[in-house]
Amino acid sequence: MVDIKITEQILDLTDCFALASDPACGGIASFVGTVRNHTKGQSVTRLEYECYESMAVKEIQKIANEAISLFSVKNIVVHHRTGILFPGDAAVIIVVSDGHRNAVFDACSHIIENIKKTVPIWKKEIFEDGEEWVSAHP
Protein backbone atom coordinates (compact mmCIF):
# COMPACT_ATOMS: atom_id res chain seq x y z
CA MET A 1 0.00 0.00 0.00
CA VAL A 2 1.26 3.44 -0.87
CA ASP A 3 -0.54 6.57 0.36
CA ILE A 4 0.63 9.96 -0.92
CA LYS A 5 -0.88 13.30 0.04
CA ILE A 6 0.14 16.88 -0.64
CA THR A 7 -1.89 19.33 1.37
CA GLU A 8 -2.04 22.79 2.93
CA GLN A 9 -3.64 21.21 6.02
CA ILE A 10 -1.72 20.32 9.20
CA LEU A 11 -0.10 16.88 8.94
CA ASP A 12 -1.13 14.21 11.45
CA LEU A 13 1.45 11.59 12.47
CA THR A 14 -1.23 9.46 14.16
CA ASP A 15 -3.18 9.25 10.89
CA CYS A 16 0.00 8.30 9.00
CA PHE A 17 0.78 5.52 11.51
CA ALA A 18 -2.79 4.23 11.25
CA LEU A 19 -2.51 4.08 7.46
CA ALA A 20 0.79 2.15 7.61
CA SER A 21 -0.23 -0.17 10.44
CA ASP A 22 -0.59 -3.77 9.39
CA PRO A 23 -0.83 -6.90 11.56
CA ALA A 24 1.62 -8.61 9.18
CA CYS A 25 4.27 -5.96 9.86
CA GLY A 26 6.53 -6.10 12.89
CA GLY A 27 8.28 -2.79 12.32
CA ILE A 28 7.30 0.77 11.57
CA ALA A 29 9.84 3.56 10.92
CA SER A 30 9.03 7.21 10.49
CA PHE A 31 10.64 10.50 9.56
CA VAL A 32 9.09 13.86 10.39
CA GLY A 33 10.70 16.91 8.78
CA THR A 34 9.89 20.06 10.75
CA VAL A 35 10.50 23.76 10.19
CA ARG A 36 13.59 25.07 12.04
CA ASN A 37 13.56 28.53 13.60
CA HIS A 38 16.98 29.35 12.19
CA THR A 39 19.27 28.77 9.22
CA LYS A 40 22.75 30.06 8.41
CA GLY A 41 22.73 32.36 11.44
CA GLN A 42 19.39 33.97 10.60
CA SER A 43 16.08 33.65 12.45
CA VAL A 44 13.40 32.04 10.29
CA THR A 45 9.90 33.37 10.92
CA ARG A 46 8.12 31.08 8.43
CA LEU A 47 8.51 28.96 5.29
CA GLU A 48 6.37 29.08 2.18
CA TYR A 49 6.16 25.81 0.22
CA GLU A 50 5.00 25.72 -3.39
CA CYS A 51 4.55 22.64 -5.49
CA TYR A 52 3.77 21.36 -8.97
CA GLU A 53 1.31 18.92 -7.40
CA SER A 54 0.52 16.45 -10.18
CA MET A 55 4.21 16.03 -11.00
CA ALA A 56 5.13 15.84 -7.30
CA VAL A 57 2.64 13.02 -6.68
CA LYS A 58 3.97 11.10 -9.70
CA GLU A 59 7.57 11.54 -8.56
CA ILE A 60 6.80 10.48 -4.97
CA GLN A 61 4.96 7.41 -6.32
CA LYS A 62 8.06 6.56 -8.38
CA ILE A 63 10.27 6.92 -5.30
CA ALA A 64 7.90 4.75 -3.23
CA ASN A 65 7.91 2.08 -5.94
CA GLU A 66 11.74 2.14 -5.94
CA ALA A 67 11.74 1.73 -2.14
CA ILE A 68 9.37 -1.25 -2.38
CA SER A 69 11.58 -2.80 -5.05
CA LEU A 70 14.88 -2.14 -3.24
CA PHE A 71 13.84 -2.93 0.34
CA SER A 72 10.76 -5.18 -0.08
CA VAL A 73 8.72 -3.07 2.35
CA LYS A 74 4.95 -3.48 2.49
CA ASN A 75 3.41 -0.06 3.29
CA ILE A 76 4.56 3.51 2.62
CA VAL A 77 2.88 6.76 3.62
CA VAL A 78 4.22 10.12 2.41
CA HIS A 79 2.36 13.30 3.35
CA HIS A 80 3.85 16.70 2.48
CA ARG A 81 2.68 20.20 3.37
CA THR A 82 2.49 23.19 1.09
CA GLY A 83 1.57 26.77 1.90
CA ILE A 84 2.77 28.75 4.91
CA LEU A 85 4.46 26.87 7.76
CA PHE A 86 5.93 28.16 11.02
CA PRO A 87 8.83 26.89 13.16
CA GLY A 88 7.87 23.56 14.68
CA ASP A 89 5.30 22.68 12.00
CA ALA A 90 5.69 19.32 10.28
CA ALA A 91 6.54 19.79 6.60
CA VAL A 92 6.76 16.12 5.65
CA ILE A 93 5.88 12.81 7.29
CA ILE A 94 7.12 9.48 5.97
CA VAL A 95 6.03 6.20 7.56
CA VAL A 96 7.16 2.79 6.32
CA SER A 97 6.09 -0.60 7.67
CA ASP A 98 7.22 -4.14 7.04
CA GLY A 99 8.34 -7.23 8.87
CA HIS A 100 11.97 -6.21 9.42
CA ARG A 101 13.50 -3.12 11.05
CA ASN A 102 16.48 -2.69 8.74
CA ALA A 103 14.24 -2.60 5.67
CA VAL A 104 11.94 0.09 7.09
CA PHE A 105 14.84 2.27 8.27
CA ASP A 106 16.59 1.99 4.90
CA ALA A 107 13.39 2.62 2.92
CA CYS A 108 12.51 5.68 5.03
CA SER A 109 15.97 7.16 4.46
CA HIS A 110 15.85 6.40 0.72
CA ILE A 111 12.47 8.11 0.39
CA ILE A 112 13.36 11.40 2.13
CA GLU A 113 16.73 11.69 0.36
CA ASN A 114 15.10 11.22 -3.05
CA ILE A 115 12.17 13.51 -2.30
CA LYS A 116 14.67 16.30 -1.63
CA LYS A 117 16.53 15.51 -4.87
CA THR A 118 13.76 15.10 -7.41
CA VAL A 119 10.28 16.17 -6.28
CA PRO A 120 9.13 19.60 -7.54
CA ILE A 121 8.39 21.16 -4.15
CA TRP A 122 10.10 24.49 -3.45
CA LYS A 123 10.43 26.49 -0.26
CA LYS A 124 11.04 30.13 0.51
CA GLU A 125 12.54 31.04 3.86
CA ILE A 126 11.18 34.21 5.41
CA PHE A 127 13.54 35.97 7.84
CA GLU A 128 13.00 38.94 10.10
CA ASP A 129 14.78 41.10 7.51
CA GLY A 130 14.26 39.41 4.15
CA GLU A 131 13.45 36.24 2.26
CA GLU A 132 15.17 33.69 0.04
CA TRP A 133 14.15 30.77 -2.19
CA VAL A 134 16.08 27.72 -1.02
CA SER A 135 17.39 24.86 -3.09
CA ALA A 136 16.30 21.50 -1.76
CA HIS A 137 19.52 20.06 -3.17
CA PRO A 138 22.35 21.47 -1.04
Side-chain angles (χ1 to χ4, degrees), residues 34-91:
T34 59
V35 176
R36 288 184 308 249
N37 68 357
H38 67 281
T39 187
K40 301 175 189 169
Q42 292 185 288
S43 293
V44 174
T45 59
R46 69 179 191 273
L47 297 181
E48 296 177 5
Y49 281 93
E50 294 187 9
C51 166
Y52 178 9
E53 187 169 339
S54 62
M55 183 62 76
V57 169
K58 285 180 186 176
E59 193 62 32
I60 292 170
Q61 181 68 54
K62 180 178 157 188
I63 293 166
N65 291 344
E66 288 171 358
I68 290 168
S69 176
L70 289 169
F71 307 106
S72 299
V73 292
K74 187 168 184 183
N75 300 302
I76 296 173
V77 176
V78 178
H79 291 181
H80 203 299
R81 284 275 308 266
T82 56
I84 297 173
L85 285 77
F86 297 94
D89 287 348

Side-chain angles (χ1 to χ4, degrees), residues 10 20-21 28 38 40-41 44 48 50 61-62 64 88 95 98 105 108 110 112 119 123 128-129 131 133 135 137:
I10 294 172
S21 292
I28 299 175
H38 67 281
K40 301 175 189 169
V44 174
E48 296 177 5
E50 294 187 9
Q61 181 68 54
K62 180 178 157 188
V95 179
D98 191 58
F105 285 132
C108 204
H110 174 83
I112 188 61
V119 176
K123 69 178 177 184
E128 293 174 350
D129 60 349
E131 60 187 42
W133 284 100
S135 170
H137 322 292

Side-chain angles (χ1 to χ4, degrees), residues 4 6 36 38 45 48 56 82 85 97 100-101 111 121:
I4 299 166
I6 296 175
R36 288 184 308 249
H38 67 281
T45 59
E48 296 177 5
T82 56
L85 285 77
S97 66
H100 305 284
R101 67 181 176 273
I111 292 165
I121 297 175

